[in-house]
Every structure is written in C-alpha cells, then in structure tokens.
Amino acid sequence: MATASKRQQLEQWTTLVADTGDFDTIKALKPMDATTNPSLLLAVAKSEAGLALFKQANQLAKQYSPTPDASLLCDAFTAIVGSELLKIVPGLVSTEVDAQLSFNTKATVERARRLIALYRLRGADTHRILIKIAATWEGIQAAKVLEAEGTRTNLTLIFHPAQAIAAAQAQATLISPFVGRIYDWYKNRGEDVASDPGVAAVKTIFHRLKSMGSDTIVMGASFRSTAQIEALAGCDRLTISPALLEELARDKGSIKRQLSAELEPQEKTVFSYSEAEFRFALNQCAMSTDLLSDGIRRFVSDQQTLETLLSEPAVAA
C-alpha cells in the first residue's frame, strides 16, 4: 500500500485552502477552499485571462450602476474572480473589502453589502462567500454587523490574541493569523526565531479561542516553509501557497497532529476587549502594530493599482 503524502495526512485534521487566485493552479491542486486579496487579484488581472475578466467585470458593474466608478469596477472584478473560484472549489471563497476602508466601519459594511449584491447578480451562492476584512477595531465591528445580517466574514491580518478574541466576540466566521510575517518581523530584527514566534502566535490564538468555546475558525496563513505548516497540523484551516502544497504532496514522510479543539481545556474565564483595551493591547505590541499597518498599506497599494488598470479606456469600454 502506497504511503500517504504529508498533504494527505494533513487533510485528515485540517481543511486546506489555496493561497492563490490562479484558476489552473487551483484546479490542479484541488483544495477545499480558496482565498483572494488585492495582491492575488492584481496577479490575476495581469495574467492572460485578465482582459476577458475585465470585460465581464465592466458588464457586471453596469448591471449594478449605469455609470460605474473605479471602486465599483474593482468590486465587480473581485466578484467575477470569486464566482469563477466558486466553480472550482467545493468550499468557501474569501473576498476582500477595499483595504482603504479599514478604519471606517460604516463604509466597510456598505462595501461588503455591495460585494454580496454583485455576487447575487452573478447567481453565486453567497453563503459560500466570506467577506474578508482587516482586523482593525473598525473592521471587527463591521464584521459584527455583517454576521448579524447573515453575511459570513474572514478577519485577516491577525497578529495579536486581542484581535482574535475581539473577532470571536463579533462572531466572525473565520480569522487569518499570519505566521510568516510574524516570523519575518522577528528574524529581520536579529532576534532568535528558533522557536518560531509565528507558529507560537497561532498556537496561542488557537488555544485561547478553543478554550473559550468559540466557534470562530482559525486559519493559519502566510507560510515560509512546510515545517511551519506541519507545526500547525490540526489547526482548523491553513491557507497555503501552491509551491508549499506541492512540496507537501511530494513528501512521503510522517507528520503528527499538533492541535486539536477537542483536547483544549474549557476555561471559566471569558476573555473580552473593550475598544480602549483592544487599542492599548495592540499599541503595547510593536510587532502587531507594525505588521497590521504594513499589511493594510500593501493591500491599499495593490487595490489602487488594480483600480487604475480597470479604469483604462481599453478595459472600461
């Protein structure tokens, strides 16, 4: 009998998500879920399929409004790509709200509603869509509103337990703590990373939420190596790049489960954060503050580039 690959072993305990927007790659890798962000969408926009998708986005935007602006064109493109991903994966697809709205609860909610409306115009199953929002205080409050309305959310750019706990308080469907970016932050400052602070952070978040009895899904993201992935075997979900998924599929070695919600002790203490406590906790952690701000800036830059592409006359015609 053939030995199971590390990917096959991992799939016994963890749902795998493809960290790419490339349709052919996702078809080949066959993950359960898919996720997008402005950086991945920009890569799709620059691919061979980009122009045809632009045309579809323009048509969809005009269904929603006869005079679409750049932001609506971008949302329509996001919904077009997400709708195609829904055809490929059997599970969930995450769709990110414009990161330029990361500190505006009302605008984030309104943009999320528009994204869902665009998906509905495409005939998509919106229950399979997770609206992805940066885990600022304002973003978490937007997620709370959306979840109450029946729109499921993915709070991203999680670096601190306070973000995870506040997200769980908001009843967020899923959170995305970033392993590799935490690891890089400490490594770039010459600190000891032998114990991998990125892995440790996700384990802490997983333990805290599961011990609280939270239903919020923990999805580790931003991996630099298969060793980091193996260290989180058993996490609810892991979103993994194609290169690392393929490496896991080739490796016939054995791995052990590291995390299990069923084995977490249920704590009597109920953790919670007020806005002031949340902001102070992040302020006291230079890593979390730096990486949350940097992540938003990167997504904003790619969002603006995408809006510029979609506004070009050859595309918007």
Side-chain angles (χ1 to χ4, degrees):
M1 183 177 177
T3 303
S5 69
K6 285 187 175 180
R7 173 177 170 169
Q8 290 170 320
Q9 294 172 66
L10 184 61
E11 286 176 324
Q12 297 176 74
W13 316 303
T14 296
T15 298
L16 302 187
V17 181
D19 197 5
T20 177
D22 184 80
F23 303 139
D24 291 336
T25 300
I26 293 172
K27 288 176 183 177
L29 293 173
K30 296 181 173 62
M32 178 62 67
D33 299 344
T35 186
T36 64
N37 59 43
S39 305
L40 295 177
L41 288 170
L42 187 57
V44 174
K46 292 178 178 178
S47 70
E48 290 183 8
L51 186 57
L53 294 172
F54 285 161
K55 297 296 185 184
Q56 292 181 50
N58 187 45
Q59 292 170 3
L60 179 60
K62 286 181 177 177
Q63 279 184 263
Y64 188 88
S65 171
T67 55
D69 60 11
S71 71
L72 177 53
L73 286 168
C74 201
D75 282 355
F77 181 73
T78 299
I80 291 292
V81 173
S83 296
E84 292 303 310
L85 292 174
L86 286 172
K87 298 175 185 176
I88 300 171
V89 299
L92 306 173
V93 172
S94 289
T95 292
E96 191 139 1
V97 169
D98 184 350
Q100 295 173 99
L101 307 177
S102 294
F103 301 97
N104 188 327
T105 297
K106 183 175 183 289
T108 296
V109 170
E110 290 174 350
R111 189 63 66 84
R113 289 170 178 160
R114 186 168 79 178
L115 282 166
I116 292 296
L118 289 164
Y119 270 110
R120 286 180 176 142
L121 284 174
R122 291 284 293 177
D125 178 2
T126 55
H127 189 67
R128 292 175 58 204
I129 296 296
L130 297 181
I131 294 296
K132 199 171 178 183
I133 303 167
T136 58
W137 178 259
E138 293 82 1
I140 292 169
Q141 301 318 300
K144 184 176 182 179
V145 172
L146 293 166
E147 290 283 354
E149 294 178 350
T151 295
R152 303 168 82 190
T153 60
N154 169 354
L155 283 163
T156 189
L157 296 175
I158 299 274
F159 304 103
H160 193 283
Q163 293 173 287
I165 291 167
Q169 284 178 257
Q171 303 294 309
T173 297
L174 182 148
I175 60 170
S176 300
F178 280 43
V179 178
R181 294 194 193 184
I182 295 173
Y183 175 88
D184 292 345
W185 192 90
Y186 287 103
K187 182 179 179 181
N188 291 340
R189 282 155 182 75
E191 299 191 31
D192 182 12
V193 291
S195 59
D196 202 320
V199 168
V202 177
K203 286 185 174 180
T204 296
I205 287 168
F206 184 90
H207 294 323
R208 186 65 55 84
L209 264 58
K210 300 309 176 185
S211 66
M212 290 167 56
S214 172
D215 293 328
T216 295
I217 296 164
V218 179
M219 182 173 77
S222 172
F223 291 102
R224 302 293 180 257
S225 67
T226 56
Q228 290 180 328
I229 295 166
E230 291 177 45
L232 294 173
C235 192
D236 300 325
R237 278 172 168 76
L238 298 175
T239 180
I240 304 171
S241 69
L244 293 179
L245 278 172
E246 290 169 357
E247 188 175 336
L248 288 166
R250 291 193 300 268
D251 194 334
K252 299 295 184 179
S254 63
I255 62 175
K256 294 182 179 179
R257 185 170 191 172
Q258 304 295 326
L259 298 172
S260 173
E262 292 76 19
L263 298 179
E264 292 296 327
Q266 296 297 298
E267 298 179 353
K268 293 182 180 179
T269 303
V270 177
F271 295 92
S272 65
Y273 281 88
S274 65
E275 179 179 354
E277 291 167 337
F278 176 91
R279 294 190 187 281
F280 185 73
L282 261 64
N283 182 76
Q284 295 303 98
C285 179
M287 177 273 293
S288 302
T289 301
D290 288 352
L291 291 180
L292 177 58
S293 298
D294 179 67
I296 291 170
R297 284 194 297 270
R298 291 188 194 197
F299 286 159
V300 166
S301 176
D302 288 336
Q303 175 83 16
Q304 291 172 340
T305 301
L306 187 57
E307 287 181 2
T308 300
L309 278 174
L310 285 162
S311 299
E312 292 177 358
V315 174

